Amino acid sequence: STQSTWGHFLSVYFFSVAMVAKIRRTADRRKNRKAHFTAPSHVRRVLMSARLSKDLRVKYNVRSLPVRKDDEVKVKRGVHKGRDGKVVACYRKRWVIHIDKITREKANGQTIQIGIHPSNTEITKLKLDKDRKATLEKKRAGKGKDKGKGKITQSDVAMQDVD
């Protein structure tokens, strides 16, 4: 009886380990939309990223970053295309950022901010603190690992002709 119990334990253990290895992400549209729109705040921060301007991209060797308050951005898409300003707030619950100069007047005369999705903007100036610098370093370090992976160089082409 002890032998069969131990055997059962091992079979369940190895089955569960094998099942863990087979976990993969879903491609189901409904599930992905649910995951996106019910995402917690720390996940929304990453999803609310914007690309860096060309000069920043060259300077930091990073393509995009999560937008934060006090970054300077330029709107690249939509009605306000071409306008720029400083980020006043990142409204994660509504998936938008508020930019200081982009406002409208309500019927009662009150001025309110217009929300713009970060993917429609480009970061032109970063607010750097120690955490942001650490994030840049981390992203830059990750980029260096795959250097040349899958790339065909001139020397590879020349070596093919040798055969």
Side-chain angles (χ1 to χ4, degrees):
S1 128
T2 318
Q3 187 72 20
S4 63
T5 309
W6 180 246
H8 176 71
F9 168 77
L10 284 177
S11 66
V12 169
Y13 175 74
F14 285 117
F15 178 73
S16 64
V17 169
M19 290 305 288
V20 170
K22 288 194 171 207
I23 292 174
R24 68 181 196 90
R25 289 213 172 101
T26 181
D28 187 358
R29 177 178 159 83
R30 181 196 287 188
K31 290 180 183 177
N32 278 318
R33 283 179 58 83
K34 182 178 182 184
H36 182 272
F37 290 110
T38 61
S41 184
H42 71 283
V43 175
R44 286 183 186 218
R45 176 185 160 272
V46 178
L47 292 172
M48 291 175 62
S49 293
R51 65 180 189 250
L52 268 57
S53 63
K54 284 197 172 106
D55 55 331
L56 289 178
R57 206 180 307 164
V58 170
K59 184 177 179 182
Y60 296 112
N61 195 24
V62 171
R63 190 169 190 82
S64 65
L65 275 177
V67 178
R68 64 163 288 177
K69 190 176 174 181
D70 296 329
D71 280 347
E72 286 184 23
V73 296
K74 183 174 188 175
V75 181
K76 301 297 278 187
R77 293 278 184 280
V79 179
H80 303 286
K81 181 178 180 177
R83 295 178 67 184
D84 53 1
K86 189 179 271 194
V87 176
V88 178
C90 292
Y91 202 152
R92 291 186 195 168
K93 191 172 184 179
R94 292 193 180 173
W95 296 97
V96 294
I97 58 173
H98 291 155
I99 302 168
D100 62 353
K101 297 172 192 168
I102 301 178
T103 57
R104 73 175 183 89
E105 244 181 58
K106 287 172 64 170
N108 66 6
Q110 185 183 0
T111 305
I112 58 164
Q113 297 284 335
I114 294 176
I116 294 171
H117 195 276
S119 66
N120 296 328
T121 63
E122 179 181 78
I123 301 173
T124 54
K125 190 176 176 192
L126 292 169
K127 165 117 187 333
L128 287 174
D129 58 1
K130 64 181 178 73
D131 295 327
R132 204 78 182 280
K133 287 177 182 172
T135 304
L136 282 167
E137 283 300 317
K138 190 176 174 184
K139 286 193 93 165
R140 201 176 309 145
K143 251 187 171 179
K145 279 195 289 189
D146 295 337
K147 208 71 168 173
K149 182 181 175 187
K151 302 280 186 201
I152 297 173
T153 60
Q154 290 287 44
S155 60
D156 293 337
V157 173
M159 289 304 287
Q160 284 179 344
D161 295 337
V162 172
D163 291 339

